[in-house]
Amino acid sequence: MDDILKQTLLYDFYGELLTVRQKEIYEQFVLEDLSLGEIAGNAGISRQAVHDLIKRCDKILRGYEDKLHLVTKFLTVKEKLHDINEILDKDQDGSTMKLKADIRRIADEIIEEL
């Protein structure tokens, strides 16, 4: 997964746990795609301060994920739901018994993830 997508997901799940100032700066960098210089100018701080704050936020958000695994669980459930859709799309021959067993297996895996 690329860094921007990972940062966005981490922010979506744990962003409310950051301070107001951290959220403002982090949103400008990750969601609005502003440069360090642009953010520094808007906030009245140095580029280095912005860089340090973003790194600190990344570390905080990764720490939450390391403890709670919400993003990992979300991505796993999303993948399993994609698998269910693929199975449903493949059932052209009407083998509903196997289809039901496959769907039940994936559904059980999803329940275990939650």
Side-chain angles (χ1 to χ4, degrees):
M1 174 179 351
D2 71 356
D3 286 341
I4 297 296
L5 177 59
K6 186 170 187 170
Q7 286 175 314
T8 303
L9 283 172
L10 289 172
Y11 182 77
D12 286 346
F13 278 85
Y14 307 112
E16 290 302 315
L17 300 172
L18 298 173
T19 67
V20 172
R21 180 77 164 166
Q22 288 171 329
K23 284 182 1 182
E24 288 172 358
I25 302 292
Y26 201 76
E27 282 179 9
Q28 290 178 23
F29 183 72
V30 174
L31 303 180
E32 298 172 27
D33 198 28
L34 297 180
S35 70
L36 297 179
E38 291 170 318
I39 297 168
N42 293 341
I45 56 178
S46 70
R47 285 181 80 255
Q48 186 62 45
V50 171
H51 179 267
D52 292 346
L53 191 141
I54 290 167
K55 291 297 177 194
R56 188 169 38 254
C57 289
D58 278 338
K59 184 176 180 178
I60 291 167
L61 296 174
R62 278 185 272 123
Y64 289 134
E65 176 61 13
D66 289 345
K67 291 175 183 152
L68 301 172
H69 308 288
L70 296 177
V71 174
T72 303
K73 288 178 184 178
F74 168 77
L75 292 173
T76 301
V77 168
K78 185 177 174 183
E79 183 180 317
K80 291 189 185 307
L81 290 172
H82 177 74
D83 292 346
I84 287 173
N85 285 329
E86 282 186 351
I87 290 169
L88 291 171
D89 289 342
K90 283 195 277 187
D91 186 40
Q92 301 300 326
D93 62 359
S95 59
T96 57
M97 292 304 285
K98 177 160 177 17
L99 176 68
K100 285 180 182 179
D102 287 342
I103 291 173
R104 188 174 318 280
R105 176 186 50 79
I106 293 172
D108 289 342
E109 290 174 5
I110 291 171
I111 290 170
E112 284 179 34
E113 289 294 326
L114 301 176

